[in-house]
Amino acid sequence: MKLLNSLILLSTSLSHPSLAHPPSHHLCATLPSPLISNARILTISSASKPATLIPPSPPITFSPISVPSICEVNITLTHPGLNDTATIQIWLPLQNWNGRFLAVGGSAWVAGHFGLTQGPAVAAGFAAASTDAGVPTNPFSPPSWALDEAGELNVGLLTNFASRSVYDLAIAGKAITESFYKRKPVAYWNGCSTGGRQGLVAAQQYPEVFDGILAGAPAIYWPEYVVAELWPQVVMKDAGVFPPVEELDAVVAAAVAFCDELDGVRDGIVTEPNVCAGSFDARAVIGQSYNISGKEGKIGAGAVDVVRKIWQGPNIDGQQLWYGAPIGAAMDILANTTVSNHGKRTGLPFFVPDTWVKWFVQKDPTYAVSDIDSKALKKLFLKSQSFDDLLNNANPDLSRLQRSGTKLLVWHGGADQIIYSQGTTQYRQRVEGAMGGVDHVDEYFRYFIAPGVNHCGVGTTPAPVNALESLIKWVEKGVPPSTLTGQTSSSAPVQLTRLICKYPLVPKYRQTGDTNSLASYECVKGSPP
Ligand SMILES: *[C@@H]1O[C@H](CO)[C@@H](O)[C@H](O)[C@H]1NC(C)=O
Ligand SMILES: *[C@@H]1O[C@H](CO)[C@@H](O)[C@H](O)[C@H]1NC(C)=O
Ligand SMILES: *[C@@H]1O[C@H](CO)[C@@H](O)[C@H](O)[C@H]1NC(C)=O
Ligand SMILES: *[C@@H]1O[C@H](CO)[C@@H](O)[C@H](O)[C@H]1NC(C)=O
């Protein structure tokens, strides 16, 4: 759930100021333990490792990663009063270190992916580190740690996952990097999804320990949006219809086709989903044939109603609890269904809200998440908010970040099908409200919405490829980014290069020139929703 091509590109685009005396193998074996307040180091081990190749591991990496020779450092630590063991791993390139430390984040229930995300970073010259936060590196892991033996919430581990591990990782990683190279690194965070949420935790709670923070598709408002992710399932349950995802995606495709040219280019990208929602009437496509992913059929009235409600979002008893899916977002994850042995199609809740509701909100693993209706959803939504202190991670007071001089770059895919971008936009607006206006906030926090891009830019959508490079230029050269470059991965069937504009601007085709050239676009004021 995390695209790393920005790191791979970085290795060729940023120079490596080389060290006069590259660190020795001997130094690697004798690195001192770092000091971390409120944590106790249990073990530290380190050894140099020859260059190696890490095979692709979707959905985290999609191509092999060539890792140079490194010094590998493993640290385990515990927090006094809490019987936990968290692991931190730090990879230090033996050659061509670029002077920077990069902490890399996780996805879903995973706090960090170790080699899968450290690999591309060290290949690009960074000293790179991640942590498991003391919880398993398995995305389906809550059953093994959510509750203690007495059936009570494991608040300590949830705190590690929520925030504390971000601090431990940065302090340990920076100290080890400095011990090894005898030079203070410039320190960065990079993560998407859970990793983006961890980035905003860094911005809100530990801004002083980083110089730059890159957060993609941040999983902020976790207690809210995760429960609201069940809305598509509830819509189908309430209506008693469970259309195949291809039929739902056919309705989405019809809307995208209808609105495609509003931004001046016919390319399958709807730049302003809100504007589209105001002009497209889904009822007009009832009866149309579709042929998606090898499945053929006709769009039925039931599927159209389901998609319209998913776009509207959970409005229950007159209260809008959360946002609806932006037009363009695929239905296959949150509105997934499964066919039983008897041929009956039923709902299939996404594993993140399924485990969140069972293990944390209800503390009852037998709770039938697929049975809930809209009344139950509303109750769960309100109950889930009791976790706001730990996992909302959307404090708009960024005065510490501002004072620290640390730069925050946030981006979100405009067709994110798992975490809708409207939540991040709302956070940005709340920060503007709390911190005194757009221009003021732009001095330390810049936000970019990437049109048509799905969750963390996986697959065939034109995701930002120079976000980290842009952040580094901002931090180290004082040049803040006004645009980013969106680019599909090389394996995408259609290659797209697109301009990504700083919020609240949106890209518009100039009506002339190559549609794959950035110069053919300008950033303009968007239409009011
Ligand atoms: C670090 O931990 C990994 C995973 O357990 C292990 O494979 C590796 O050998 C360890 N490296 C060192 C230097 O201890
Ligand atoms: C701490 O955890 C270990 C297992 O990781 C367990 O064996 C031990 O009993 C625990 N100690 C306490 C005091 O809970
Ligand atoms: C549907 O699409 C498949 C390829 O995805 C194609 O083989 C098939 O002929 C199409 N069916 C129709 C009716 O166009
Ligand atoms: C949808 O559910 C099926 C099981 O019925 C599963 O194989 C598939 O991976 C799921 N799709 C997505 C996008 O999660």
Side-chain angles (χ1 to χ4, degrees), residues 385-437:
Q385 291 185 308
S386 65
F387 290 89
D388 275 355
D389 285 349
L390 272 177
L391 271 168
N392 178 279
N393 306 135
N395 181 355
D397 179 356
L398 294 183
S399 42
R400 266 177 69 192
L401 177 79
Q402 181 186 19
R403 274 198 303 276
S404 69
T406 300
K407 308 302 184 217
L408 169 65
L409 197 164
V410 177
W411 73 273
H412 208 126
D416 193 321
Q417 74 282 38
I418 300 179
I419 305 177
Y420 306 150
S421 60
Q422 299 98 306
T424 302
T425 303
Q426 186 213 78
Y427 175 65
R428 165 74 199 198
Q429 290 167 345
R430 286 176 55 231
V431 172
E432 287 172 8
M435 300 293 298

Side-chain angles (χ1 to χ4, degrees), residues 223-224 360-361 363 381-390:
E224 290 75 27
F360 294 93
V361 182
K363 299 175 195 63
F381 186 92
L382 299 175
K383 199 168 167 189
S384 182
Q385 291 185 308
S386 65
F387 290 89
D388 275 355
D389 285 349
L390 272 177

Side-chain angles (χ1 to χ4, degrees), residues 24-161:
S24 68
H25 293 256
H26 170 73
L27 184 58
C28 177
T30 58
L31 287 164
S33 264
L35 284 175
I36 307 173
S37 50
N38 300 318
R40 188 163 57 83
I41 304 291
L42 298 171
T43 62
I44 174 165
S45 64
S46 48
S48 28
K49 294 212 156 173
T52 179
L53 197 68
I54 304 181
S57 180
I60 309 300
T61 56
F62 294 87
S63 42
I65 305 158
S66 172
V67 181
S69 54
I70 52 166
C71 169
E72 175 174 271
V73 185
N74 292 344
I75 291 172
T76 60
L77 58 81
T78 190
H79 299 94
L82 177 68
N83 191 22
D84 65 335
T85 306
T87 299
I88 290 174
Q89 187 173 65
I90 304 152
W91 282 5
L92 306 151
L94 294 181
Q95 271 132 35
N96 297 327
W97 179 52
N98 64 14
R100 304 177 182 109
F101 166 73
L102 187 69
V104 280
S107 50
W109 287 113
V110 180
H113 296 284
F114 295 102
L116 293 181
T117 47
Q118 289 158 211
V122 292
F126 294 87
S130 55
T131 179
D132 64 4
V135 304
T137 52
N138 157 8
F140 306 97
S141 69
S144 72
W145 64 271
L147 305 177
D148 64 18
E149 278 155 25
E152 296 298 326
L153 197 66
N154 205 327
V155 180
L157 288 182
L158 191 59
T159 305
N160 284 1
F161 173 75

Side-chain angles (χ1 to χ4, degrees), residues 40 365 458 460:
R40 188 163 57 83
V458 174
T460 59

